[in-house]
Amino acid sequence: MTDLASVPSPGPAASDAGAARTVRRVDVVPHTHWDREWYSPYPTFRLRLVDLLDELLPRLEADTGFAHFQLDGQMAVVDDYLGLRPDEAGRLRSLAAQGRLSMGPWYVLPDEFLVSGETHVRNLQLGLRKAEAFGGAMPVGYLPDMFGHIAQMPQLLVQFGFTDAVVWRGVPSSIDGPQFWWIAPDGSRVRAEYLPAGYGNGSELPHDAGAVREKIEIFRLLQGPLVGDPLLLMAGMDHEVPPAHLSAVIAELNEREAARTEGDAYELTIRSLAEHLADAPTGHLPELHGEMRSGLRANVLMGVASNRVDVKQAAARAERTLERVAEPLAALWLGEPERWLPVFDAAWLDVIRNAAHDSICACSHDEVVDAVLHRYAESTRLAQGVADRAVEAAAARMASPGVVVLNATARPRTDVVEIDIPGPADGEPVEHPAVQVLAAVPAVEEIDGAVGDEAPMRLALAALAEHPDTRSIRIEDDGAASGATITAHLLADHADDAVTPADALALVGQRATEDPELALRLVVHRRDPSRHVLALAADVPGYGWARWEPVEPAHPVSAEGELGLANGLVTVVADPTDGTFSVDGVAGFGRLVDDGDAGDTYNWCPPEVDVVVDAPTSVEVTRTEAGPIRGRLVVRSTYVIPERCAIDGQEGMTTGWAGGETYRRVGEVTQVFTTTVEVRADDPTVRVTTSWDQRARDHRLRVHLPLPGPAASSRAEDAYAVVERPLWIEGGPNEWGVPTFPSRRFVQAGGLTVTHEGLCEYELVGLTAPDGTIVPDTTGMTAEQGAALGVAPPEGTTAHALALTLVRATGWLSRGPMPSRPQPAGPFDRLEGAQALRPLSLRYAIRLDGDDVVDPHALADHVWNPLLPAVAPGGGDLGDRGSRLQVDGDDGRGVRSGALDVDAVLQDTDGRLVVRAHATGDHGAVLALPGRTGAVVDLRGRELDTFTGVLEVDPHRIVTVRLD
């Protein structure tokens, strides 16, 4: 997609009358920018794609002057077309072989911040693999419309063999020319070509040669020093086919320019992007390190990180289940790659398709977002299904019967598991210091029955659904003619005096027909009594297993006062006056702050008359569990917040701010927020879940988390990197520089670490200047303050809280004009889904040990990748404890002892194990896989070096090893 924001840059006149003739080369790259789905659903755009290519391809063949066309750098366009036009594959292949058509390298053009590093890798791998059938991909790191760029993208491109990138959004004011060296945290660099006016500066070239010349000169005039030599004219736009007169008008203009005797004369040539970049300069270029998120010259559309939180949650779950559960479990326990790789290919295809920027950002038609959620759900279910089979296969390998616990992550882990254990035996107490009993299940138990015609259905429900292990049923009938009582004994084994469940249902059905007052009693008989418990699984090896044995926690959870929990490592106390809670004496966690949002799916924008609600009308606190394994506080806070935003004198919202009209928050809606605060034994982490039925419109709800110490910056996860960010972000006249930043799984500031599930937007708030004055943050700002954003606060300013966005509800795909973004970013489409009017349950976890102690990667794995218990039948070949892949690491609970994060463990098509990891710190790391050998490979699988069990990894470097 594109928007209308491109800031003119002052520059010299394009030509000087009377000057000597100077020939300036103009490289014209005909292309289309293709959004698979956006303001219309995918099938609608797909048919438009068929129309476009059905018309374009014959014209490309017939017009030799139309030398080249670029299919937007993504292979999904080819797949989508050939899925409906399979007979055209030969034509595409022929044109590509002639150099007339370029495609790839991506499968889809992704958003860079909102998907994982592995998704980027699989996206490029799939795109390159698909392009091989057509002679190969365009050798350019094409990034034309991403909403900013991640720090590690240069390293990803280099490891795929690219030397050049093409970028638009996010380039900061420090770059004042058309090319620069873009450098990743590990030092990898690519030459970046900057598109100062976006990818459509040559869109809709006129029929008239003079008008084409004028278009070029206006571009040079407006963009000045940002225009390269040769000049790059991107002749295309969203879903646009180049005009039929393209080659003719270029030929006519060249003929005219050849006759020009003074001033600038233009020589236009249709070329590929790769051909243009081959002549671009490499010497004396400025350098840019790390990510690009400036809104100075082009909108980076900062609000997409918080739009449609349900999509972000679904993405987090799907990627986590694929990358950190299913793939490693399958690779280590299932084998048979020919059986499981097609399943993973199908799951990854859904995740990759959803990585497209208009898809994961959810700045799209409601029907599109429904499809995105469906794809994530299907991918997650496929991955989870494979993971379940791997757990079963692992349990079957155990020599001893009983509960076994699997660890799908690299680090040794101790964590809480929920399991079933025998007992208690007669005379034995139900409770035990090593477990927390959630439910005691006796060997014989009477459950609810039924009367009359409800009796057969009740028996069926009990035998088939509630107790599916029922093998037979013994019937006792008192034989009364009326008002009889039948007792059905549900047995876990076959018995001589019992009948099958089907026969029992038939008998009870017949008796209920005969006796409308029949009473049915149900008695469940189990083989043994059991207890459903919480327990610690201690020191489970990385990528390994351990037989579960009872172990008493060193730091059990217990009640602390009337409304608190403690375990010796952390203390949490709820405040019944405002619904917040303290952690180790630091008060104010969980403070909910609600403000208005009259923006759209791309950008937050406060109404001109805002109402900020930051206190509940009532609070109820209950301690529902008090240990010893887990403790929980449940805080129910009632808030009365405005129901929506509206314009004075108008019933509904309109597309923009008109003269003299005022947006304000109106109406009232009562919202009850249930926040569950959880503390576990032997763990200093505090887990939090906030749930409510979301009924308010046009608002932003954030949770404020106090910082133990003041902070002048934050550290957050991007793909394969932890990026440090200041308190501000560069904005421009077309977009406020709102300092809300994205994070993949975690953010750290001021001694606080927060890890979350799909809550991708955060901001440091509570800003104070060195002289003690308050520096406004975005909450409740005026339009004048917003316009001033993008200017750094006074040196020495510090933040005292972190605001994590829980939900941002809006009613428009795009709007305009509005103060935070004067120009629209897309069509003015009303949306209902973007209001997020549904039950929501959002999760995050916090640690207060300090940035220098907590390894946030280990903490994220610990919180979001639970240990996996299973029941082993016994008789296998494996002992009580072991590892399928030993990787040096830490204790798995977030205490830093290394600087390496394992990102992927999978099998390739030859059954070889592939391990990918990256060094997370500034001092490098060591990847040690004892007893393993193989090759170090790049992201395309090309061998770089041998691997003999130990590999030194440079700081921030991504490494992949393929094991023998």
Side-chain angles (χ1 to χ4, degrees):
M1 57 79 64
T2 190
D3 56 46
L4 304 182
S6 182
V7 182
S9 300
S15 60
D16 299 309
R21 182 176 185 271
T22 301
V23 177
R24 296 191 178 276
R25 197 179 96 195
V26 177
D27 288 345
V28 181
V29 178
H31 74 104
T32 186
H33 177 63
W34 199 264
D35 304 288
R36 295 185 77 244
E37 51 191 11
W38 179 20
Y39 55 82
S40 293
Y42 162 62
T44 302
F45 273 133
R46 190 180 191 186
L47 287 175
R48 289 180 59 184
L49 173 66
V50 169
D51 291 340
L52 184 149
L53 290 180
D54 281 353
E55 186 274 334
L56 176 70
L57 295 179
R59 178 152 57 91
L60 191 60
E61 288 178 324
D63 184 356
T64 56
F66 189 177
H68 187 83
F69 183 76
Q70 177 178 303
L71 272 175
D72 201 29
Q74 51 179 335
M75 290 303 299
V77 176
V78 178
D79 269 5
D80 293 343
Y81 178 65
L82 293 181
L84 298 180
R85 292 286 189 269
D87 293 341
E88 295 294 331
R91 172 178 273 170
L92 291 178
R93 194 173 293 112
S94 174
L95 287 168
Q98 299 169 43
R100 305 284 306 284
L101 191 69
S102 61
M103 56 187 75
W106 296 96
Y107 189 75
V108 299
L109 294 177
D111 181 82
E112 296 182 32
F113 288 96
L114 297 179
V115 300
S116 70
E118 277 302 302
T119 297
H120 287 314
V121 169
R122 309 307 174 91
N123 187 353
L124 271 169
Q125 286 176 339
L126 179 60
L128 291 167
R129 189 164 65 247
K130 292 278 188 178
E132 287 175 1
F134 299 89
M138 176 174 67
V140 178
Y142 190 54
L143 308 167
D145 197 27
M146 287 67 168
F147 303 161
H149 303 284
I150 57 172
Q152 287 280 37
M153 185 55 71
Q155 183 180 178
L156 292 176
L157 295 178
V158 167
Q159 287 215 26
F160 275 101
F162 300 109
T163 58
D164 295 282
V166 175
V167 299
W168 172 31
R169 302 181 192 270
V171 176
S173 58
S174 60
I175 297 301
D176 55 6
Q179 292 97 21
F180 57 94
W181 288 112
W182 184 15
I183 304 174
D186 77 314
S188 299
R189 61 174 58 200
V190 291
R191 181 182 55 183
E193 177 88 7
Y194 178 36
L195 305 174
Y199 51 81
N201 66 325
S203 172
E204 297 182 346
L205 287 180
H207 288 77
D208 180 71
V212 173
R213 187 181 206 281
E214 183 179 4
K215 188 179 183 75
I216 294 170
E217 294 211 318
I218 290 174
F219 172 66
R220 291 184 60 202
L221 175 67
L222 293 178
Q223 301 302 333
L226 298 175
V227 176
D229 185 15
L231 185 149
L232 177 60
L233 200 65
M234 298 293 289
M237 183 49 74
D238 297 355
H239 319 117
E240 178 185 305
V241 63
H245 59 264
L246 177 69
S247 58
V249 76
I250 287 176
E252 181 183 352
L253 179 58
N254 283 340
E255 185 176 351
R256 290 188 186 184
E257 295 297 294
R260 187 175 292 273
T261 59
E262 58 184 20
D264 289 340
Y266 298 114
E267 182 180 4
L268 279 63
T269 306
I270 293 179
R271 311 185 85 190
S272 71
L273 196 55
E275 289 171 329
H276 168 79
L277 292 172
D279 296 334
T282 58
H284 307 292
L285 299 181
E287 295 182 348
L288 178 65
H289 293 257
E291 69 180 12
M292 291 188 271
R293 286 191 59 80
S294 169
L296 175 66
R297 301 188 184 107
N299 299 341
V300 293
L301 307 169
M302 302 160 188
V304 296
S306 52
N307 170 45
R308 287 299 296 254
V309 67
D310 53 346
V311 170
K312 277 61 174 183
Q313 284 180 299
R317 292 167 184 160
E319 290 177 331
R320 180 177 71 239
T321 307
L322 265 174
E323 298 167 17
R324 296 178 179 264
V325 182
E327 280 192 333
L329 286 176
L332 298 174
W333 292 103
L334 287 178
E336 298 181 289
E338 69 282 354
R339 182 178 182 189
W340 302 112
L341 288 184
V343 181
F344 285 125
D345 287 345
W348 270 113
L349 182 59
D350 280 338
V351 169
I352 291 168
R353 283 173 169 163
N354 281 352
H357 54 285
D358 294 307
S359 302
I360 180 61
C361 294
C363 45
S364 296
H365 191 288
D366 282 340
E367 190 175 322
V368 169
V369 181
D370 290 344
V372 169
L373 289 170
H374 180 72
R375 288 194 289 264
Y376 275 134
E378 290 207 333
S379 174
T380 303
R381 287 190 181 276
L382 280 175
Q384 189 61 57
V386 177
D388 292 343
R389 286 158 174 78
V391 170
E392 292 174 4
R397 295 282 303 277
M398 301 299 123
S400 300
V403 176
V404 63
V405 180
L406 301 184
N407 180 1
T409 65
R411 302 171 179 86
R413 299 275 300 282
T414 294
D415 201 359
V416 173
V417 292
E418 196 167 322
I419 58 175
D420 292 312
I421 63 172
D426 291 342
E428 181 185 356
V430 174
E431 301 292 340
H432 185 282
V435 301
Q436 180 175 330
V437 178
L438 300 178
V441 183
V444 179
E445 178 186 17
E446 183 168 352
I447 62 176
D448 292 337
V451 176
D453 58 6
E454 294 183 1
M457 183 59 70
R458 179 69 189 100
L459 178 59
L461 182 65
L464 302 178
E466 297 172 358
H467 303 278
D469 56 347
T470 298
R471 295 294 175 266
S472 62
I473 299 175
R474 185 171 64 246
I475 298 294
E476 295 177 355
D477 189 340
D478 66 7
S482 178
T485 297
I486 284 183
T487 302
H489 297 267
L490 278 59
L491 309 177
D493 296 298
H494 297 284
D496 293 338
D497 59 346
V499 298
T500 66
D503 289 343
L505 284 171
L507 176 61
V508 172
Q510 180 181 351
R511 291 288 281 116
T513 302
E514 297 168 349
D515 184 359
E517 297 181 5
L518 177 75
L520 174 68
R521 291 180 62 235
L522 293 172
V523 180
V524 178
H525 296 256
R526 304 177 180 91
R527 293 185 180 91
D528 298 291
S530 64
R531 288 164 288 183
H532 190 62
V533 303
L534 296 171
L536 281 183
D539 194 29
V540 183
Y543 295 127
W545 75 94
R547 176 183 169 84
W548 179 80
E549 298 288 350
V551 56
E552 294 186 28
H555 301 92
V557 179
S558 61
E560 178 77 9
E562 293 186 6
L563 299 175
L565 297 166
N567 65 2
L569 300 174
V570 66
T571 299
V572 176
V573 179
D575 186 339
T577 64
D578 62 6
T580 65
F581 58 94
S582 65
V583 179
D584 291 342
V586 179
F589 285 92
R591 175 173 169 251
L592 299 177
V593 178
D594 185 86
D595 62 341
D597 188 349
D600 56 24
T601 62
Y602 295 102
N603 290 85
W604 168 81
C605 188
E608 291 144 314
V609 179
D610 203 355
V611 175
V612 178
V613 180
D614 60 1
T617 58
S618 65
V619 176
E620 177 185 317
V621 182
T622 307
R623 185 166 50 211
T624 59
E625 296 180 13
I629 305 301
R630 182 176 72 191
R632 281 179 170 174
L633 303 173
V634 177
V635 181
R636 287 173 54 86
S637 303
T638 301
Y639 284 73
V640 178
I641 63 178
E643 190 272 335
R644 59 191 172 90
C645 289
I647 291 180
D648 288 347
Q650 297 189 27
E651 187 62 28
M653 295 182 70
T654 61
T655 58
W657 278 254
E661 295 175 332
T662 300
Y663 268 103
R664 65 178 72 244
R665 299 188 79 184
V666 300
E668 284 187 354
V669 61
T670 299
Q671 299 273 238
V672 179
F673 298 95
T674 300
T675 297
T676 301
V677 184
E678 180 179 310
V679 176
R680 297 184 178 183
D682 290 359
D683 192 346
T685 308
V686 178
R687 293 164 168 82
V688 184
T689 302
T690 297
S691 304
W692 77 103
D693 187 5
Q694 214 290 109
R695 293 292 110 192
R697 297 171 178 266
D698 317 320
H699 74 120
R700 177 181 64 174
L701 178 71
R702 307 200 287 187
V703 59
H704 283 217
L705 306 170
L707 302 181
S713 63
S714 61
R715 301 173 68 246
E717 185 189 37
D718 278 343
Y720 302 118
V722 178
V723 181
E724 186 163 3
R725 292 161 171 156
L727 299 176
W728 69 290
I729 187 170
E730 190 173 50
N734 285 307
E735 186 177 36
W736 285 357
V738 179
T740 52
F741 292 99
S743 72
R744 281 293 307 139
R745 292 183 300 165
F746 57 77
V747 56
Q748 294 181 303
L752 171 70
T753 301
V754 182
T755 181
H756 59 82
E757 183 184 56
L759 305 179
C760 299
E761 181 185 90
Y762 75 92
E763 179 183 4
L764 291 184
V765 297
L767 306 185
T768 305
D771 61 3
T773 59
I774 302 298
V775 177
D777 57 46
T778 65
T779 301
M781 72 170 69
T782 66
E784 290 74 19
Q785 290 169 331
L789 282 176
V791 178
E795 186 175 353
T797 297
T798 55
H800 298 272
L802 185 148
L804 190 67
T805 304
L806 299 182
V807 68
R808 195 171 69 82
T810 64
W812 293 90
L813 193 157
S814 175
R815 307 186 65 206
M818 59 187 192
S820 65
R821 196 199 64 239
Q823 298 289 345
F828 295 157
D829 286 350
R830 285 182 179 271
L831 301 177
E832 187 68 11
Q835 296 285 12
L837 301 176
R838 61 184 60 84
L840 296 174
S841 185
L842 309 175
R843 302 193 293 169
Y844 61 94
I846 54 180
R847 282 279 297 272
L848 266 63
D849 292 341
D851 295 359
D852 58 339
V853 175
V854 176
D855 180 347
H857 300 86
L859 180 63
D861 270 350
H862 177 59
V863 171
W864 305 117
N865 293 305
L867 297 175
L868 304 168
V871 177
D877 61 329
L878 296 179
D880 289 348
R881 177 182 299 271
S883 174
R884 302 288 286 175
L885 178 69
Q886 184 180 341
V887 183
D888 287 349
D890 61 27
D891 70 353
R893 286 169 289 180
V895 179
R896 177 172 296 169
S897 63
L900 190 81
D901 193 43
V902 179
D903 301 285
V905 174
L906 63 145
Q907 276 186 306
D908 67 11
T909 53
D910 296 318
R912 296 172 296 189
L913 208 59
V914 177
V915 179
R916 186 156 32 254
H918 74 281
T920 63
D922 295 330
H923 305 293
V926 173
L927 174 62
L929 305 173
R932 302 279 188 161
T933 61
V936 182
V937 300
D938 67 10
L939 293 175
R940 295 187 75 165
R942 299 171 297 195
E943 292 193 10
L944 305 175
D945 202 352
T946 57
F947 177 74
T948 57
V950 178
L951 178 66
E952 293 188 6
V953 185
D954 291 338
H956 310 290
R957 180 61 57 89
I958 304 163
V959 295
T960 306
V961 295
R962 185 173 60 217
L963 303 178
D964 297 329

